[in-house]
Amino acid sequence: MRIIGLAVLILVCSYIIKMDLLDGTISLAAFSQTEQECIKENKYEIFPVQTIEDDTILSLFGVYPSEVWVSFPDRLEAFYQENPHLRNQQIQAGEFVNVPIYKDTQISCS
């Protein structure tokens, strides 16, 4: 009987300590400061390019790479924002297109 009583007492004490650590005053005291929200904005510059025969968007991105890594869909979206007429047609030789080149930007915290 003593063993069962001691086991129940240990379980109750460990449950109380666990709940105090997760939801009690100790965890609230550790996170009382507000954290700053930092946003890194991907800004790009426009580089006008005259295309040649058999140019593709991928070949333009390969010739004019960005300084920072940007995913292909994000860069493609910026390309189509600058050249909306190319959504429904292919790149023609001699045409001027704007290629977005992403630069390294500062992180703004507020």
Side-chain angles (χ1 to χ4, degrees):
M1 191 68 177
R2 287 184 187 175
I3 295 175
I4 294 174
L6 187 58
V8 169
L9 183 66
I10 290 174
L11 289 174
V12 169
C13 288
S14 63
Y15 178 76
I16 291 171
I17 291 172
K18 175 187 160 204
M19 292 307 294
D20 187 46
L21 289 175
L22 293 178
D23 299 327
T25 58
I26 296 173
S27 63
L28 295 177
F31 300 108
S32 63
Q33 298 177 354
T34 58
E35 296 181 12
Q36 292 182 350
E37 294 182 17
C38 296
I39 300 170
K40 183 174 182 180
E41 297 179 5
N42 287 330
K43 294 187 178 181
Y44 58 87
E45 294 182 6
I46 301 303
F47 192 70
V49 176
Q50 185 176 12
T51 59
I52 59 173
E53 190 175 341
D54 295 331
D55 262 347
T56 63
I57 296 172
L58 192 58
S59 67
L60 290 175
F61 287 170
V63 173
Y64 303 102
S66 294
E67 289 181 5
V68 294
W69 184 87
V70 179
S71 67
F72 181 73
D74 291 338
R75 195 163 180 202
L76 189 63
E77 180 183 345
F79 180 82
Y80 282 136
Q81 283 179 348
E82 297 301 323
N83 307 293
H85 63 283
L86 293 177
R87 284 191 188 270
N88 299 327
Q89 69 181 26
Q90 293 182 348
I91 297 175
Q92 304 296 322
E95 182 179 12
F96 282 95
V97 295
N98 296 323
V99 178
I101 299 177
Y102 284 83
K103 300 290 183 180
D104 193 17
T105 58
Q106 298 292 333
I107 298 174
S108 62
C109 295
S110 58

